[in-house]
Amino acid sequence: MAADPLLDETTDTAEVIEDNAQDGAHEGGRPDDRVDDARHDEENRLKPEYVRAVRLALEEDRRGEVYELVEPLHPADVADLLELLDNDERGLLTIAISDLMTGEVVAELNDWVREEMMEGLPAEAVALIAEQLETDDAVQMIEDMGAEEREAVLAEMEAEDRAAIESALSYPEETAGRLMSREFVAVPEHFTVGDLIDYLRIHGTLLGDFFEVFVVDEAHHPVGTCALSWILTTPRAIALTDVMKRDQTVIPVLMDQEEVALMFQKYALISAAVIDSTGRLVGQMTVDDVVHIISEEAGEDALLLSGAGDGDINEPIREAYSSRVRWLVANLGTALVASLIIAAFGAAIEQLVALAILMPIVASIGGNAGTQTMAVTVRAIATNQLTKANTGKILLRELRVAILNGVTIAVLVGLATALVFDVKLGGVIALAMVINVITAGLAGVLVPVLFERAKQDPAVASSVFVTMVTDSMGFFAFLGLAVASGLVG
């Protein structure tokens, strides 16, 4: 075949993609496979030439072609396309594909992009989109709005949908109550398998997607679950109480989302009942929700460790500046501590210039060692691998690792320093390196643990304090040993 005509912006891209689809059909493959090849690269990302083709069609106001280009995309890919475009282009694309802008697309949008797009829509349009979404997705869209805007949107919604969202918003952020789905299947425990099948057939259009059925008692407390596979393979006359799984994992409505994710991971859950303070079934958490939680929490911890705030490329510049500059100022303050230690040994540094050359090495290695240990510790805390029961064990483990690392690096840097400068100076820097790497290992464990014990997120400020400890101790150990050894007066 000829070179991809998508690279030629004068070619009608919609026709090219249609031709590719037909070629795929002739080759025995599904047309959709060829369409994906025309739009996606080997890593399932939208191709740059495809995005350029959409941009060109938007600029030239060829809405029909824009629609043909976008229509075959999955809602998640439509969301990706919107995120790749500029603000003004997003508005043009939304107009061109208005009937494709379903709730599924909105649910997949980046938070910042979705917020910007919703700001430009009237309250009734936002309400219409929210009513298409699952309750948890609708809540995620509405919760970040201003109070007046939120009330305006809720006022435009149907009473039942509005009540569900208001109920969700009454729970704290990042809890099961805020994130749970209120669409689930619950049946009384006196049902037989046949009764359940008949119920599902009658009410199937109202139930949406589900993985298992919850069995409840008269007080609406969950007493068991039935997987769909059991329902389909069990005779109709069998009572649900004879085949249901009584041992189930239930989630309190106020449980933090991180704990929810850990429960799903630990017990290999697909879905789980959410109960209120009285034990009543009020919702369910499903594995697709938990995947989002795990991704969000993992990214959040990594960004907090670096002090990068939300770290979102769609985040407005003002918010990005505000979130990052705070930690840079904090780092400036901790750096002053290390500077004061250097100043205290100013006379020694003047006598032996080699000290100024070598001391950044000690601080740098210590900082890297501390960051390694801190990252392992923060992750262990987040995944409940590090608890009060094994803190001492983990501390001793990291201490042994630090000693081995410190001795290894000390031998290397000590020999190099002895060859280039002086044997005694080589011994001084080797000993300082061991001290600082051990200190880094201890700080990398103790600082996050202390933050966690104080009910603070250990990912937020651990890096600042660990860096301060390793820098300060590195300079103090190296310069102090140099003076104590008699290298300088």
Side-chain angles (χ1 to χ4, degrees):
M1 293 182 63
D4 192 346
L6 279 173
L7 296 174
D8 182 1
E9 295 187 344
T10 63
T11 304
D12 187 331
T13 312
E15 292 180 4
V16 172
I17 293 176
E18 180 64 27
D19 289 342
N20 284 343
Q22 292 175 359
D23 289 344
H26 292 314
E27 292 170 8
R30 293 188 302 109
D32 286 346
D33 291 338
R34 296 298 300 164
V35 169
D36 284 345
D37 288 344
R39 293 175 171 84
H40 296 82
D41 61 20
E42 63 278 3
E43 296 182 0
N44 202 35
R45 296 175 298 194
L46 294 176
K47 290 182 176 179
E49 53 265 31
Y50 169 73
V51 178
R52 286 198 299 269
V54 174
R55 278 197 162 112
L56 180 63
L58 287 171
E59 290 174 6
E60 297 179 356
D61 199 25
R62 291 183 272 123
R63 296 187 183 181
E65 183 178 339
V66 172
Y67 190 93
E68 290 182 27
L69 285 167
V70 178
E71 192 273 335
L73 292 180
H74 185 277
D77 290 317
V78 177
D80 287 344
L81 178 60
L82 283 163
E83 292 171 11
L84 291 170
L85 299 178
D86 297 329
N87 286 339
D88 55 342
E89 293 173 327
R90 289 171 188 155
L92 295 174
L93 180 60
T94 302
I95 294 171
I97 61 167
S98 56
D99 62 326
L100 301 178
M101 286 297 297
T102 62
E104 291 178 291
V105 174
V106 175
E108 294 291 339
L109 283 172
N110 170 273
D111 291 346
W112 293 102
V113 174
R114 181 173 60 239
E115 186 177 341
E116 288 178 357
M117 293 185 65
M118 293 302 103
E119 286 177 355
L121 296 176
E124 56 269 23
V126 178
L128 185 61
I129 293 172
E131 289 174 343
Q132 298 177 39
L133 300 173
E134 297 286 340
T135 305
D136 52 335
D137 292 326
V139 169
Q140 187 177 6
M141 184 180 75
I142 292 175
E143 64 183 352
D144 293 328
M145 294 180 176
E148 292 184 7
E149 187 180 359
R150 182 190 303 168
E151 290 302 321
V153 171
L154 291 173
E156 296 290 337
M157 298 182 68
E158 296 291 335
E160 183 177 352
D161 294 326
R162 181 173 65 250
I165 291 176
E166 288 177 339
S167 173
L169 291 172
S170 67
Y171 295 109
E173 291 187 25
E174 299 188 347
T175 61
R178 179 69 73 93
L179 300 168
M180 69 183 179
S181 172
R182 284 154 179 78
E183 291 80 23
F184 57 89
V185 182
V187 296
E189 57 185 334
H190 63 75
F191 265 27
T192 64
V193 172
D195 294 332
L196 174 56
I197 292 173
D198 293 338
Y199 173 81
L200 294 176
R201 286 174 177 168
I202 294 171
H203 301 283
T205 57
L206 303 175
L207 299 176
D209 298 330
F210 59 95
F211 304 103
E212 60 184 354
V213 173
F214 298 106
V215 182
V216 295
D217 61 18
E218 294 181 353
H220 209 65
H221 296 160
V223 295
T225 61
C226 285
L228 293 180
S229 57
W230 301 352
I231 297 168
L232 294 173
T233 57
T234 304
R236 291 178 58 89
I238 302 297
L240 287 183
T241 52
D242 292 335
V243 296
M244 71 182 185
K245 180 182 178 183
R246 295 182 181 275
D247 182 20
Q248 60 178 317
T249 302
V250 295
I251 297 174
V253 74
L254 294 179
M255 178 177 282
D256 183 84
Q257 65 176 18
E258 256 187 292
E259 295 298 322
V260 173
L262 290 171
M263 288 184 68
F264 267 72
Q265 179 183 7
K266 182 176 182 179
Y267 299 113
L269 302 177
I270 296 176
S271 63
V274 180
I275 58 173
D276 63 13
S277 57
T278 65
R280 285 175 52 85
L281 176 65
V282 292
Q284 71 169 337
M285 293 291 298
T286 54
V287 69
D288 59 321
D289 299 317
V290 173
V291 168
H292 286 292
I293 292 171
I294 293 172
S295 175
E296 178 184 323
E297 291 289 344
E300 181 182 277
D301 285 347
L303 291 165
L304 287 173
L305 279 172
S306 66
D310 285 347
D312 195 314
I313 59 173
N314 295 292
E315 184 181 13
I317 292 176
R318 180 176 296 180
E319 280 77 5
Y321 160 75
S322 177
S323 61
R324 297 184 196 183
V325 75
R326 292 198 302 269
W327 293 109
L328 292 177
V329 172
N331 277 322
L332 177 61
T334 57
L336 290 175
V337 176
S339 297
L340 291 174
I341 293 175
I342 294 173
F345 290 94
I349 295 172
E350 288 178 2
Q351 292 180 43
L352 187 59
V353 178
L355 296 178
I357 297 173
L358 296 173
M359 64 185 186
I361 298 176
V362 180
S364 177
I365 296 297
N368 287 334
T371 299
Q372 289 176 343
T373 307
M374 177 185 61
V376 171
T377 304
V378 170
R379 181 184 179 278
I381 291 173
T383 56
N384 277 349
Q385 292 179 313
L386 195 161
T387 65
K388 290 182 179 180
N390 67 347
T391 300
K393 177 183 176 182
I394 299 299
L395 184 61
L396 288 175
R397 174 189 180 277
E398 291 301 323
L399 179 59
R400 286 196 287 267
V401 172
I403 291 173
L404 291 172
N405 286 337
V407 170
T408 301
I409 299 299
V411 169
L412 294 175
V413 74
L415 290 174
T417 302
L419 290 172
V420 176
F421 295 102
D422 178 75
V423 174
K424 182 180 286 188
L425 183 58
V428 166
I429 194 172
L431 183 56
M433 191 69 74
V434 172
I435 293 172
N436 201 26
V437 172
I438 292 175
T439 301
L442 294 174
V445 174
L446 292 176
V447 170
V449 166
L450 290 174
F451 272 108
E452 197 268 339
R453 297 286 191 271
K455 306 299 182 183
Q456 302 297 317
D457 190 339
V460 174
S462 293
S463 61
V464 174
F465 288 95
V466 169
T467 301
M468 180 188 71
V469 170
T470 55
D471 284 355
S472 301
M473 178 54 69
F475 293 139
F476 181 76
F478 181 50
L479 297 175
L481 287 171
V483 173
S485 67
L487 274 171
V488 290

